[in-house]
Amino acid sequence: LASLVFQLRAQNQVLKKGVVDEQANSASLKEQLKMKDQSLRKLQQEMDSLTFRNQQLAKRVELLQDELALSEARGKKNKKSVESSSQLSQEQKSVFNEDLQKKIEENERLHILFFEADEQHKRLEAELRSRLEVLETDAAQHQAVVDSLTKKYTETIEKLQNDKAKLEIKSQTLEREAKDCRLRTEECQQQLKNLQAALGSRLEESLCIINEKVPFNDTRSTRYNALNVPLHNRRNQLKLRDLAGQALAFVQELVTALLNFHTYTEQKVQIFPIDSATDTISPLNQKFSQYLHENASYVRPLEEGMLHLFESITEDTVTVLETTVKLKAFSEHLASYLGFLRKILPYQLKSLEEECESSLCTAALRARNMELHRDMKRLTAVFEKLHTYVSLLAFPSTRPEGLLRTNYNFVFTNIAASLHGFHDILKDISKHYSQKANLEQEVPTATQKLITTNDCILSSVAALTNGASKMASFFSNNLDHFTTSLSYGPKGGTEFISPLSAECMLQYKKKAAAYMKSLKKPCADSVPYEEALANRRVLLSSTESREGLAQQVQQSLEKIAKLEQEKEHWMLEAQLAKIKLEKENQKLKNSLSGHVTETIQERSVLPNIAEQKKETTEKSLREPIKSTSLVFSPLNKCCVPKFLLCQAPDGESREDLIKNHYMARIAELTSHLQLADSKSVHFHAECRALAKRLSLAEKSKESLTEELKLASQNITRLQARPLVILFFPQDELMTTKRSYEDQLSMMSDHLCSMNETLTKQREEIDTLKMASK
């Protein structure tokens, strides 16, 4: 065994060395292959650029040939111009021929180089690939030999070690197993006794609970089990809403295509075979176009019904066929559209027959019309089939006996098959319409209006075909999901009994969800009753004060706006007065032009007077008014302080002093007035808050008096019934009586405290009213 292991190790080292060498060779070959690929790509790019340049040169040669032909044509008219142009053309030809010859030689040389490089690259690539394959096969063989030897070696070693361990441990394990078995048997016997006792007690307890608390088992009866809320699968509801949104998009696409198809068909009827603009069409086509004009009133409701169905599927509802009430409305809209198709089908068939009888209709066009004749019948039949199965799906929400739950899979499968049939019919219609449009274009009386209308019809039919294909593939892919998700019900039951039970189940689900939501809310910390009342009063008073402050702010803003307006008014008045003063001064200057000396003296005196005025005004503004005795002055006809009249040297300075004094007095009085207004507003807000608190206290007093009356009535009623002792024990009666007496005493104390607070608040209101007055 040791010699075998030694030989295997030696062979393993040799094989590993060979594998490493081969891997290095393969890596180097791969690098060479990459380099050759890069050179090949560069040559290919050069070849593409050369071909592009050759194309440009060929175009240039063609242009030069055209110019040469034009110059030769012009040369026939004028011999002189011919001679000059021939010389120029010969020179240009020689230049262009030399240039072209050089380009051709260069192109040929590059083609030869590219071909040689390509052949060399292909040959080298083939050699390298063959060599790489040989090396890979050799490496794989060597690796397989190495793996087999290592596997055999490890298996033999593991087998020998396992045999040795088994032989050594076998005796010990047998002894331990015997001991463990004895201990386990004893433990199992003890556990069996304990479990029997525990299960017996739990069985008795559960039987007592069931007998006392559970009146009946509602899962045994299907009628009652239908009212149980099934397990809510949120993922399933989101998936159904997503699928309903996709179906809504497909239905909207189909509705748009149907509207376009009917509208363009109406235009086609009025154009071909007789144009209504030039001649009167047949009464049959008139009636047919009139019916087609009403298509929107039948097609639009399909989109609205699907939209309402999509909106009814939400995350919180349980969406099954018994709860999808909006499916009935969609089925009715589909029935109205089917009636529209049935109404227009005879006119459409007759219109095609009338078109076949016209003189413009060829044999090939007549054959296409008959094919469309059959396609329109098949289209109406497919819509009838779809309406039948959709109305069957709407039965569980209105009449549950109309469709059994075992038939849901069959109905969904038939709807998918009908959608695929609808797609096949639309493909045939598109094919036949395209052939018909091509034949109508060959008619000698075909107009551009007819060609445009045919193109529009073909585009609408193509949109219909595309939408039907999407709808059929969508329904087929989600068929299993529709079957499983729209047919589940309460646990333990098989179905909902009626739509009423499904509606009751949804109401129970809402109640259960609200209950679970209320349980999840954390309980708020309790507040004592007196503290809550005090906080409520403070809150109401703060809101009242806030309202009062808001009113005060509003009034202040109004006053500010009025003052701004008055300020602008008086500024305008001051400007006008200034202009008048300037005019009067100008007049005085003109009248006093002779007295120059006197004016010079007066000007020398005026600065002193102005300085005196400034000093007096500053003193009057800074120093408080000491003397308030007023004397009547004939100058201004008002009461003026005596000290101002004594200090004034002349009339002008006296008027300025009086003016400044009264301006200061007015400013002081306005500040006092504003302070009084703010205080009155504050007192008014406090009075309102206290009045509100007083009304609330009176209301609480009335409610407490009512409670007090009820408590006293209860006490008297209990005292007037002596037979209660026969039914209730004496201790319970005494405890109830004591509780009522305690409540009564608490209510009376609370009323007393409320009366005291009311009296205090009334006194505060009276004092505030007096202060405000």
Side-chain angles (χ1 to χ4, degrees):
L1 181 62
S3 63
L4 180 62
V5 170
F6 181 74
Q7 291 176 3
L8 289 172
R9 285 180 178 175
Q11 291 177 2
N12 192 7
Q13 293 294 329
V14 174
L15 290 171
K16 282 183 179 178
K17 187 176 180 182
V19 169
V20 170
D21 294 336
E22 293 298 330
Q23 287 178 353
N25 291 329
S26 63
S28 64
L29 290 172
K30 285 180 181 178
E31 290 293 330
Q32 291 177 5
L33 185 61
K34 286 181 181 177
M35 292 173 65
K36 295 296 180 181
D37 287 334
Q38 289 177 0
S39 62
L40 180 62
R41 289 194 192 95
K42 288 180 180 178
L43 291 172
Q44 187 67 32
Q45 289 176 359
E46 290 178 359
M47 184 65 188
D48 293 337
S49 62
L50 287 172
T51 52
F52 179 70
R53 183 61 181 168
N54 287 334
Q55 290 176 1
Q56 285 183 344
L57 290 171
K59 290 181 180 178
R60 186 175 176 185
V61 168
E62 289 178 359
L63 291 172
L64 291 172
Q65 288 177 357
D66 293 337
E67 289 178 359
L68 182 61
L70 289 172
S71 62
E72 287 178 357
R74 291 174 183 172
K76 292 178 181 179
K77 295 180 181 179
N78 194 357
K79 292 180 180 180
K80 292 181 182 180
S81 61
V82 166
E83 292 175 359
S84 61
S85 63
S86 62
Q87 291 176 1
L88 290 172
S89 63
Q90 288 296 329
E91 291 176 358
Q92 289 177 356
K93 280 182 183 180
S94 62
V95 172
F96 289 146
N97 286 330
E98 288 177 1
D99 192 7
L100 183 62
Q101 187 65 30
K102 288 179 182 179
K103 295 295 182 182
I104 290 168
E105 290 175 357
E106 186 180 358
N107 193 7
E108 185 178 0
R109 182 173 56 80
L110 290 173
H111 272 291
I112 292 167
L113 290 173
F114 177 74
F115 180 74
E116 291 176 355
D118 192 11
E119 290 294 329
Q120 186 179 0
H121 178 265
K122 287 180 180 178
R123 186 172 59 257
L124 184 59
E125 184 180 1
E127 291 176 359
L128 291 174
R129 285 185 185 278
S130 61
R131 189 177 175 186
L132 181 62
E133 289 176 357
V134 172
L135 291 172
E136 285 179 352
T137 53
D138 293 339
Q141 290 175 0
H142 291 308
Q143 187 66 33
V145 172
V146 171
D147 292 338
S148 63
L149 290 173
T150 53
K151 186 177 181 183
K152 186 177 179 180
Y153 175 66
T154 53
E155 286 177 355
T156 54
I157 291 172
E158 287 177 357
K159 187 177 180 181
L160 292 171
Q161 288 178 354
N162 289 329
D163 292 337
K164 183 180 178 181
K166 287 178 182 178
L167 291 171
E168 288 178 352
I169 297 170
K170 193 171 183 180
S171 60
Q172 296 177 3
T173 54
L174 290 172
E175 291 177 357
R176 290 175 183 175
E177 284 177 0
K179 291 180 182 179
D180 292 336
C181 287
R182 292 190 194 98
L183 294 172
R184 284 175 185 174
T185 52
E186 292 176 358
E187 290 177 358
C188 288
Q189 288 176 358
Q190 189 65 31
Q191 288 177 2
L192 182 61
K193 291 179 182 179
N194 295 331
L195 286 172
Q196 284 178 353
L199 289 173
S201 62
R202 288 177 66 183
L203 180 61
E204 291 177 358
E205 185 180 355
S206 61
L207 288 173
C208 292
I209 291 170
I210 290 169
N211 293 327
E212 292 177 0
K213 303 294 183 183
V214 180
F216 64 93
N217 188 7
D218 55 358
T219 57
R220 294 179 181 176
S221 175
T222 55
R223 292 177 60 192
Y224 299 134
N225 191 32
L227 299 175
N228 288 328
V229 180
L231 295 175
H232 183 65
N233 192 348
R234 181 174 176 271
R235 186 178 297 172
N236 184 25
Q237 284 297 120
L238 292 175
K239 177 69 174 176
L240 276 176
R241 183 167 177 81
D242 186 20
L243 293 177
Q246 295 179 20
L248 175 62
F250 294 146
V251 169
Q252 287 175 349
E253 187 176 351
L254 283 174
V255 164
T256 305
L258 285 172
L259 287 170
N260 293 332
F261 177 68
H262 292 311
T263 304
Y264 295 137
T265 305
E266 179 188 357
Q267 293 180 8
K268 174 70 180 299
V269 168
Q270 294 180 358
I271 293 171
F272 189 79
I274 300 171
D275 194 354
S276 61
T278 57
D279 198 358
T280 57
I281 60 176
S282 63
L284 175 70
N285 285 333
Q286 289 179 2
K287 198 72 175 176
F288 183 37
S289 64
Q290 181 181 355
Y291 285 153
L292 285 172
H293 192 68
E294 301 170 357
N295 67 86
S297 61
Y298 297 98
V299 180
R300 289 289 183 191
L302 292 174
E303 181 180 355
E304 295 175 0
M306 196 65 197
L307 180 61
H308 293 321
L309 180 61
F310 168 70
E311 290 173 352
S312 66
I313 300 173
T314 59
E315 180 183 347
D316 298 329
T317 58
V318 178
T319 304
V320 291
L321 287 177
E322 287 82 3
T323 59
T324 52
V325 184
K326 300 296 182 180
L327 191 59
K328 179 66 177 175
F330 179 73
S331 175
E332 291 174 355
H333 295 321
L334 186 59
S336 64
Y337 179 66
L338 178 61
F340 171 70
L341 289 179
R342 288 173 179 170
K343 183 171 67 173
I344 66 172
L345 180 62
Y347 294 96
Q348 196 166 15
L349 299 179
K350 290 290 184 182
S351 177
L352 288 171
E353 292 173 0
E354 184 179 344
E355 186 178 341
C356 292
E357 292 174 358
S358 66
S359 60
L360 298 174
C361 187
T362 60
L365 188 58
R366 192 176 295 108
R368 299 291 84 74
N369 286 334
M370 295 311 295
E371 289 174 352
L372 286 174
H373 192 280
R374 290 190 296 271
D375 292 339
M376 291 304 169
K377 290 182 180 178
R378 291 168 58 200
L379 183 64
T380 307
V382 166
F383 269 102
E384 288 178 354
K385 192 181 294 185
L386 280 172
H387 169 253
T388 302
Y389 291 122
V390 172
S391 61
L392 283 175
L393 286 180
F395 274 148
S397 62
T398 54
R399 290 190 293 119
E401 68 276 2
L403 182 64
L404 298 176
R405 188 177 286 262
T406 55
N407 295 328
Y408 286 178
N409 192 9
F410 175 75
V411 174
F412 282 118
T413 306
N414 284 327
I415 288 175
S418 301
L419 288 172
H420 282 289
F422 178 52
H423 176 231
D424 295 336
I425 291 168
L426 286 174
K427 285 197 294 186
D428 294 339
I429 290 174
S430 177
K431 176 183 175 183
H432 297 153
Y433 250 119
S434 62
Q435 294 174 359
K436 182 184 177 183
N438 292 329
L439 292 172
E440 286 178 353
Q441 287 181 5
E442 298 174 357
V443 175
T445 59
T447 59
Q448 186 62 36
K449 191 175 181 181
L450 176 63
I451 296 169
T452 306
T453 306
N454 284 332
D455 292 338
C456 293
I457 291 173
L458 286 173
S459 64
S460 62
V461 173
L464 266 176
T465 308
N466 190 17
S469 174
K470 291 179 182 178
M471 181 68 79
S473 59
F474 161 75
F475 208 86
S476 298
N477 294 332
N478 299 291
L479 185 61
D480 296 333
H481 186 75
F482 285 139
T483 306
T484 55
S485 61
L486 293 177
S487 60
Y488 78 99
K491 187 176 181 181
T494 56
E495 60 183 358
F496 292 99
I497 299 299
S498 64
L500 184 61
S501 65
E503 187 177 357
C504 293
M505 180 272 298
L506 290 177
Q507 292 178 2
Y508 295 152
K509 180 184 179 298
K510 291 178 182 178
K511 290 181 181 179
Y515 177 68
M516 295 300 292
K517 191 175 181 181
S518 64
L519 288 178
K520 288 181 180 179
K521 289 181 179 178
C523 296
D525 296 333
S526 61
V527 181
Y529 185 69
E530 291 80 4
E531 186 178 353
L533 282 176
N535 292 334
R536 186 169 182 270
R537 290 178 191 133
V538 171
L539 179 64
L540 290 171
S541 64
S542 64
T543 55
E544 288 294 327
S545 63
R546 190 182 300 168
E547 292 176 358
L549 289 172
Q551 290 180 359
Q552 186 177 357
V553 169
Q554 187 67 27
Q555 291 176 0
S556 301
L557 290 173
E558 292 176 357
K559 287 180 180 179
I560 288 167
K562 289 180 180 179
L563 290 172
E564 289 289 337
Q565 293 177 359
E566 291 178 358
K567 179 183 175 183
E568 292 178 357
H569 172 70
W570 289 114
M571 285 176 69
L572 293 172
E573 291 289 336
Q575 289 178 1
L576 293 172
K578 190 175 181 180
I579 292 167
K580 289 180 180 179
L581 180 62
E582 289 177 355
K583 290 181 179 179
E584 292 294 331
N585 289 330
Q586 189 68 29
K587 290 180 181 178
L588 288 171
K589 286 179 181 179
N590 294 327
S591 62
L592 299 175
S593 58
H595 304 281
V596 179
T597 57
E598 292 179 1
T599 55
I600 291 169
Q601 292 176 0
E602 288 177 358
R603 286 176 185 173
S604 64
V605 176
L606 280 173
N608 297 325
I609 297 169
E611 289 177 358
Q612 290 177 1
K613 285 181 182 179
K614 287 182 181 178
E615 290 176 357
T616 52
T617 52
E618 289 177 356
K619 287 180 181 179
S620 63
L621 290 172
R622 290 175 185 175
E623 296 178 358
I625 299 169
K626 295 179 181 179
S627 177
T628 57
S629 62
L630 302 176
V631 180
F632 182 78
S633 176
L635 295 171
N636 51 6
K637 298 180 180 180
C638 62
C639 297
V640 183
K642 190 185 294 182
F643 74 95
L644 292 175
L645 296 175
C646 296
Q647 291 176 0
D650 53 357
E652 293 179 357
S653 61
R654 191 185 303 117
E655 288 179 359
D656 292 334
L657 290 172
I658 292 166
K659 179 182 176 183
N660 293 327
H661 168 70
Y662 277 111
M663 289 296 289
R665 187 66 177 165
I666 287 166
E668 185 180 359
L669 290 174
T670 50
S671 64
H672 285 300
L673 181 61
Q674 288 177 357
L675 183 63
D677 288 338
S678 62
K679 285 183 179 180
S680 64
V681 171
H682 177 67
F683 286 145
H684 179 66
E686 286 187 354
C687 289
R688 286 184 63 187
L690 289 172
K692 192 68 178 289
R693 289 172 64 184
L694 181 62
S695 64
L696 292 170
E698 288 177 353
K699 288 180 182 178
S700 62
K701 180 182 176 183
E702 291 176 359
S703 63
L704 288 171
T705 52
E706 291 293 332
E707 291 179 359
L708 183 62
K709 287 179 183 178
L710 291 172
S712 61
Q713 289 175 3
N714 290 328
I715 291 169
T716 54
R717 189 170 63 253
L718 289 170
Q719 289 176 355
R721 290 170 64 186
L723 293 175
V724 177
I725 301 169
L726 298 174
F727 298 98
F728 294 98
Q730 187 70 22
D731 296 334
E732 186 176 355
L733 183 63
M734 293 299 291
T735 53
T736 53
K737 185 177 178 181
R738 285 171 187 169
S739 64
Y740 276 117
E741 288 176 353
D742 293 336
Q743 290 179 4
L744 185 62
S745 63
M746 287 174 65
M747 287 180 181
S748 61
D749 294 336
H750 188 63
L751 280 172
C752 292
S753 63
M754 289 293 293
N755 287 324
E756 291 176 359
T757 53
L758 285 172
T759 52
K760 288 180 182 179
Q761 288 175 1
R762 282 173 182 160
E763 289 175 358
E764 289 177 0
I765 289 169
D766 293 335
T767 54
L768 287 171
K769 286 181 179 178
M770 293 296 293
S772 63
K773 287 179 182 179

